[in-house]
Amino acid sequence: MVHTAYVVGGPAALLVALALGVFALVLLTSFQAQVFGITLLFFSVAVGLSVFAGILAAIFQGYEDVIPNAFYNQVLNPLLFIVFLIAAALVAPRGDTYLGVLIAYVVAAILSFLMLVLYARSRLPRHLAEGPREPGVSRKLLIFAAPLFLVGILGYVTNNGDTLILGAYARGSVGFYTADLSLARLLQVGIGSLGYIFLPVTARLVRAGDRGAVRITYATATKWMVLTSLPLFLVFFFFPNESLQFVYSAAFPPSAVPLQLLVFGAFFSTLVGPASMAQVAYGQTRLLF
């Protein structure tokens, strides 16, 4: 399974990075879009490293080890970016700050990825002992993952389609809607955090046939998700304008109803629990799609 992940994910990462790089060069040479082209050129490197880092973290996720994703991908990478960002602002000549930001972004991605690779080299050999390989496991894995690939694409469309539609029909509302959306997504931090470890734990319990333990784990995870999101929901729902003005600016215009609608939907999703993760653990990826 790990070998298949590398064989499929590795070339995919390189292909995406190369495609972004070529597109960036086209923008630079043919359309003279200097800022956009340079940005995509730097992002092509960061995206490729991000995919490789995601593969490594997912391997450890299967062994119920959250350190690679939690520390290296979610903490160290943005922390290094902030450090290099401050350094770029102090060192870069006036007017070159944007280029300094891009350099800081890529350097942070490179360093955090290299440290993750060192962690993997020291830990993975303990897990990946040589043994008999089940015939056809690569094909089964790809069939299992194909619906999840489509789910990921549709999830991206869902998360960004609303902003694109507003940009086309109500451009002046995009900024305010994005501000509301940023606060509403805080309610789903619990789902992302607990869901990451819930998946391998539940998969192990399903494999063992212990459905009673799965039910208890699901209920416990849902309770913690609700507990972590409930305080934010109450504040954002009953004090929407005050919340927005506290986070952004005292001069932020009233935007109560959009924030209330968004946090209501976000909180409702926590009440359901980690349903999608449970479906993956039971192998129901087509049903999830």
Side-chain angles (χ1 to χ4, degrees), residues 49 52-54 56-57 60 67-69 72-73 76 110-121:
L49 293 176
F52 278 116
L56 282 175
F60 282 100
I67 291 178
N69 184 64
Y72 292 98
N73 291 344
L76 184 62
I110 293 173
L111 288 181
S112 60
F113 174 73
L114 291 177
M115 295 179 72
L116 175 58
V117 169
L118 292 176
Y119 179 87
R121 283 182 61 86

Side-chain angles (χ1 to χ4, degrees), residues 1-18:
M1 290 176 67
V2 172
H3 179 264
T4 305
Y6 278 120
V7 168
V8 176
L14 292 174
L15 184 62
V16 170
L18 183 62

Side-chain angles (χ1 to χ4, degrees), residues 147-192:
L148 295 178
F149 174 73
L150 297 173
V151 167
I153 294 176
L154 292 175
Y156 178 82
V157 172
T158 302
N159 290 331
N160 297 276
D162 46 5
T163 308
L164 294 174
I165 290 173
L166 277 177
Y169 294 101
R171 187 173 301 175
S173 303
V174 172
F176 302 120
Y177 178 77
T178 304
D180 294 332
L181 196 61
S182 299
L183 294 185
R185 283 177 175 168
L186 289 176
L187 273 68
Q188 297 183 319
V189 170
I191 292 181

Side-chain angles (χ1 to χ4, degrees), residues 27-44:
L27 289 173
L28 284 171
T29 56
S30 301
F31 296 95
Q32 301 300 318
Q34 298 296 321
V35 175
F36 193 31
I38 292 175
T39 303
L40 275 185
L41 198 60
F42 278 88
F43 277 12
S44 64

